[in-house]
Structure formats: structure tokens, C-alpha cells
Amino acid sequence: MTYSVWKGKIKMNIVLTGFMASGKTEISKAIAALSKYKLADTDDMIVQREGKTINEIFAEVGEEGFRKIEHEAVLEAARLDDHVIATGGGVVLNRENISALRENGIIVNLAPDFELIKSRLQDAMSTRPLLRDGGIDSIHKRFCDRLPFYADCDISVRIINGRTPRSYALEILDLCERRTASV
């Protein structure tokens, strides 16, 4: 496909899930730029609502407290229409999050292998709260533990080096259109 603007129609939100550094933010921006969709990012919603960075929230309330705040942002995002929604990597851990997002959305998992994640995270060790404790071995365990949660999606897109966010956006839009046409 070589569209300058995507011409299809999907009557549901497009929800991007995936492990940290899988490309959710950049690909969601590309989908919004190519389509009629507005962009919502649950991490941005949390930062705006709380008036603190994700790192500050983790430092103050820990991961469990953060997940409660994140759940509220997910419920808000799930009520939106005509949006591409980028989620945090741990959104999938709460089945209620996925159920709420699925009511009005197609769940798309961005699925890189761990070597790609590892290479992308090398530069982000200081900016991501879950990277500080345990290093790359801890991240690998977290990645493996989350794989069954990421498998509970409607569409999975393999992420590799060398492709642009725009190329993924076009692929996702096409896959979502085909999925909604068959329903």
C-alpha cells in the first residue's frame, strides 16, 4: 500500500498493546496521522491527571498504586470513540482493562522479540521506572511473564528493525478494516 492518507473505515477504536519499547507511541501517532482517528495515550492521560511523571508516580506509590491509577485512565480511554489508544506495557495485566478496551476497540499487540526490546532499552535505563530494579534479566523475566497476556489480543503484529512506524500503521489499519468487515 502506498496511500498518502488511509481511505478505509473502521467503526471501533484501535488499541495498541505491547511490551515497553515495542513502538506503541510512534505507531499510534502514525495511525492518527494517516486516519480519521484522534490519539489517546494512557500514560499521557495519567501524567496530565496526576500532575506528575510516571517515574514520580512509581516512586511515590509503587507499581501496585500505579496500576490502580492506570486502570482509571484505561476506563476513561475505553469510553472514547474514533481513537487510536496507546497503552502502557502493563495494561494487559488487568483483565478488566482489556475487557473495557475491547467493548469499543480492536486490541492490537505489537510483538517484537526480546533481542529487539533489549537493544531499544539500552539507552532508556534511566528513564523507565521498571528498568531500575534487576536490570535486563529482570526485564526479560517480565517480558516472558507477560507473553500470555499479550496473546489475548485480536491482532498481533510482529515488530522488527528496519520498518517505519508509518508502514506498521498502514498494516494495522488494513488488518483492523478486514477484521471489522468480517464481523
Side-chain angles (χ1 to χ4, degrees), residues 9-41:
K9 292 209 180 261
I10 301 168
K11 295 180 172 108
M12 301 181 82
N13 291 329
I14 299 170
V15 180
L16 300 186
T17 66
F19 199 70
M20 67 179 88
S22 62
K24 297 178 299 287
T25 298
E26 292 306 313
I27 293 170
S28 65
K29 288 177 185 176
I31 292 170
L34 287 166
S35 70
K36 64 180 175 76
Y37 286 93
K38 297 176 203 95
L39 178 62
D41 184 306

Side-chain angles (χ1 to χ4, degrees), residues 84-96:
V84 57
I85 301 168
T87 64
V91 160
V92 297
L93 300 173
N94 182 337
R95 298 258 185 232
E96 291 176 27

Side-chain angles (χ1 to χ4, degrees), residues 29-140:
K29 288 177 185 176
I31 292 170
L34 287 166
S35 70
K36 64 180 175 76
Y37 286 93
K38 297 176 203 95
L39 178 62
D41 184 306
T42 57
D43 282 350
D44 291 346
M45 293 166 72
I46 292 165
V47 168
Q48 184 174 11
R49 177 184 293 147
E50 299 296 314
K52 300 172 188 167
T53 67
I54 299 295
N55 286 345
E56 290 168 336
I57 296 167
F58 262 86
E60 290 178 19
V61 299
E63 185 173 359
E64 185 176 333
F66 174 79
R67 296 293 172 212
K68 290 177 184 174
I69 295 166
E70 180 179 60
H71 178 65
E72 293 303 315
V74 166
L75 293 178
E76 182 182 336
R79 291 188 294 269
L80 299 171
D81 291 314
D82 300 322
H83 275 72
V84 57
I85 301 168
T87 64
V91 160
V92 297
L93 300 173
N94 182 337
R95 298 258 185 232
E96 291 176 27
N97 287 342
I98 297 303
S99 292
L101 290 164
R102 190 172 266 140
E103 284 180 25
N104 186 30
I106 300 169
I107 311 296
V108 179
N109 179 52
L110 304 182
D113 64 23
F114 187 71
E115 287 306 310
L116 180 57
I117 294 293
K118 183 177 169 183
S119 70
R120 290 179 176 181
L121 290 178
Q122 295 300 330
D123 295 331
M125 294 297 258
S126 64
T127 61
R128 297 198 181 238
L130 295 178
L131 294 178
R132 294 193 190 117
D133 300 325
I136 209 71
D137 290 337
S138 172
I139 296 304
H140 185 255

